[in-house]
């Protein structure tokens, strides 16, 4: 087990080092192959560890790496069945995205730098999934933040890409302040900073302190997972290469916040307000993201707002203390959303870098029938068409909220239910417009064999998007829910009243999915020749960016300008210039008094030195 866990981490790290040192020298194909092999090795190690994982967790320590004043941070791992499912999901998805990237980045001159960042990202993501020590986990937390920044601004020749990377970096760092505060309180309370210690000692904390620590970690999770009020960075993060969007901004990094809440579930049991806040913000974000997706024309921005919305459902489940439900939706979302993002990458390249779905249409479907089938699988799962993976997992999160004893969860349920309807509407709007419409000004299409080859790694994801829901179906289907049984003894089982509510919720969810399909067909069917609506409030993300610019960024910029001009230039620089001018004048006066004679100048210097020494001596006395 120890060897498998070590290899799981070391393979992508070694891949990143190789890319940094020799990636450019070995050539494009060898560089891509080495990067994919590194992740394949990690995936194999994850499978071996998964096969050997029992109900009892495995603790592994590779020694201390930081120590001061009686505290030490450890390279320690906590491998349990939650981590086992998470690592297999991350490495499997990452492997397919690496294979896809080999085709997508086929003409990019900086392919070695790209694969270096991608391998490094997988390493840091696995640190988050496996770390027991919260300081070690923070290392991975910041590492994925750095890789996200580097990959969003990967094409740094374009300033807007760099700005988007900076926006993501700064916004997530704001959230990280919560992590640092909660980490400090944890160390002060327990003298150590491990998930194991925090879980074991949570009951000894006062309710107030447990809530403060929980809110600190929740704030960090909101930033990393692009939840309200820290959600505005994710749509702009689509400036990076599309496989990056599939890996970081759909399948892995944005779910890191949810995963952190899952790991902190024992603490949240003693801090109910934290769970309620997470569920409420999750429901609100699910609705917010679905509304904004309706107003987008850029296929990647539609999927980005969709990600914001879907991660909201995970927060809903995690806040309801259903770790299995949150993990289930995390997995299904990783499969169908990374599939949709990679389909979007092929669509964009096939249309000569055109992102607007209103310039795609039926010619794209006719030229790329395989792509159309793949996209259909992902869209069905995202819309919640019955018996697809997204249908089962989203219904589970809504059942959690509906049956929670706290009435505030009913509000979260209502927002999540409305978001489910809007999700079906924007998914089928995108589907009908991008694959069935006859646009008046279609983007030119080209039929490169490389684009068809890029479809190959997507088929496993399509199968999982459609069929993985049967890994954990609701009880009323009388099919053994594998995930629930696998995590039995590790997570709290679904309460009986939630099980009973699943039939109602799944029926409602199916009704909403078909209602959304009908609404989208009414407005966007090919016979209506749908045209894009003018940009409005939904396109602008309900004005959240403008609000932050006006209320936060602009006052900060004015304060910075004041500090620069009034304090730095006028006061500090002015004082320095005035002092220099005074000394210059004094020097001139002394020079003139001496008439240019050296003896007089030396006498003046000695007199000044004597005066200073006398002042110092009398000062001491």
């Amino acid at each position: 087990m120890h060897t498998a866990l070590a290899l799981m981490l070391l393979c992508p790290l070694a891949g990143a080092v190789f890319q940094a040192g020799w990636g450019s020298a070995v050539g494009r194909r060898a560089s891509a192959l080495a990067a994919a092999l590194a992740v394949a090795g990690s995936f194999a190690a994850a499978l071996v560890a998964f096969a050997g994982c029992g109900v009892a967790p495995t603790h592994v320590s590779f020694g201390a790496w930081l120590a001061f004043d009686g505290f030490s941070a450890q390279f320690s791992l906590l491998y349990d069945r939650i981590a086992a499912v998470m690592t297999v999901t991350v490495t499997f998805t990452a492997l397919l995205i690496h294979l896809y990237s080999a085709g997508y980045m086929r003409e990019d001159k900086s392919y070695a730098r790209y694969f270096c960042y991608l391998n490094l990202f997988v390493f840091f993501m696995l640190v988050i999934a496996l770390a027991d020590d919260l300081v070690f986990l923070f290392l991975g937390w910041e590492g994925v933040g750095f890789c996200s920044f580097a990959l969003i601004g990967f094409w740094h020749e374009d300033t807007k890409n760099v700005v988007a990377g900076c926006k993501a970096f700064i916004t997530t760092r704001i959230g990280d302040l919560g992590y640092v505060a909660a980490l400090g309180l944890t160390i002060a309370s327990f003298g150590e900073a491990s998930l194991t210690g925090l879980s074991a000692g949570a009951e000894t904390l006062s309710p107030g302190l447990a809530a403060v620590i929980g809110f600190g970690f929740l704030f960090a999770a909101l930033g990393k997972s692009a939840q309200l009020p820290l959600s505005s960075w994710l749509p702009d993060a689509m400036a990076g290469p599309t496989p990056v969007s599939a890996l970081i901004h759909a399948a892995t990094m944005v779910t890191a916040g949810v995963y952190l809440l899952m790991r902190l579930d024992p603490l949240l049991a003693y801090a109910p307000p934290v769970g309620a806040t997470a569920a409420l913000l999750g429901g609100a974000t699910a609705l917010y993201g679905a509304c904004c997706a309706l107003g987008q024309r850029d296929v990647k921005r539609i999927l980005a707002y969709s990600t914001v919305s879907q991660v909201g459902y995970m927060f809903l489940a995690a806040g309801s203390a259903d770790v299995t439900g949150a993990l289930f939706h995390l997995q299904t979302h990783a499969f169908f959303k990374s599939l949709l993002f990679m389909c979007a990458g092929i669509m964009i390249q096939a249309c000569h870098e055109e992102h607007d779905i209103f310039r795609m249409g039926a010619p794209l479907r006719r030229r790329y029938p395989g792509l159309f089938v793949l996209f259909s699988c992902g869209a069905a799962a995202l819309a919640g068409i019955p018996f697809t993976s997204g249908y089962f997992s989203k219904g589970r999160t809504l059942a959690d909220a509906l049956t929670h004893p706290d009435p505030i969860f009913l509000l979260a349920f209502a927002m999540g239910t409305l978001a489910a309807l809007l999700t079906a509407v924007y998914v089928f709007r995108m589907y009908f417009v991008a694959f069935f419409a006859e646009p008046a000004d279609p983007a030119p299409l080209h039929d490169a064999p490389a684009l068809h080859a890029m479809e190959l790694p997507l088929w496993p994801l399509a199968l999982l998007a459609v069929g993985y829901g049967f890994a954990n179906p609701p009880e009323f289907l009388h099919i053994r829910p594998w995930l629930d049984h696998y995590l039995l003894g590790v997570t709290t089982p679904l309460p009986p009243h939630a099980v009973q509510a699943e039939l109602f919720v799944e029926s409602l969810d199916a009704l909403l999915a078909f209602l959304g399909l009908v609404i989208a067909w009414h407005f966007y069917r090919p016979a209506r020749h749908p045209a894009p609506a003018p940009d409005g409030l939904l396109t602008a993300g309900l004005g959240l960016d403008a609000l932050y610019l006006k209320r936060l960024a602009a006052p900060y910029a004015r304060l910075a300008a004041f500090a620069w001009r009034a304090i730095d230039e006028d006061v500090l620089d002015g004082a320095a210039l005035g002092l220099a001018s005074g000394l210059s004048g004094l020097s001139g006066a002394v020079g003139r008094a001496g008439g240019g004679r050296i003896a007089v100048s030396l006498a003046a210097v000695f007199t000044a030195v004597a005066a200073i020494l006398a002042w110092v001596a009398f000062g001491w006395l």
Side-chain angles (χ1 to χ4, degrees), residues 95 286 407 612:
L95 175 59
I612 293 172

Side-chain angles (χ1 to χ4, degrees), residues 4 35 69 160 167 197 210 217 251 345 354 379 401-402 429 485 512 560 563 587 596 614:
D69 198 21
K160 76 176 179 56
K167 183 178 179 182
F217 283 124
E354 178 58 70
L402 177 64
R429 166 184 176 266
H485 281 268
L512 293 174
S587 174

Side-chain angles (χ1 to χ4, degrees), residues 13 55 122 208 229 317 328 363 484 494 570 583:
L13 182 61
V55 176
V122 175
F328 184 35
D484 272 331
L494 197 63
D570 293 349
L583 289 174

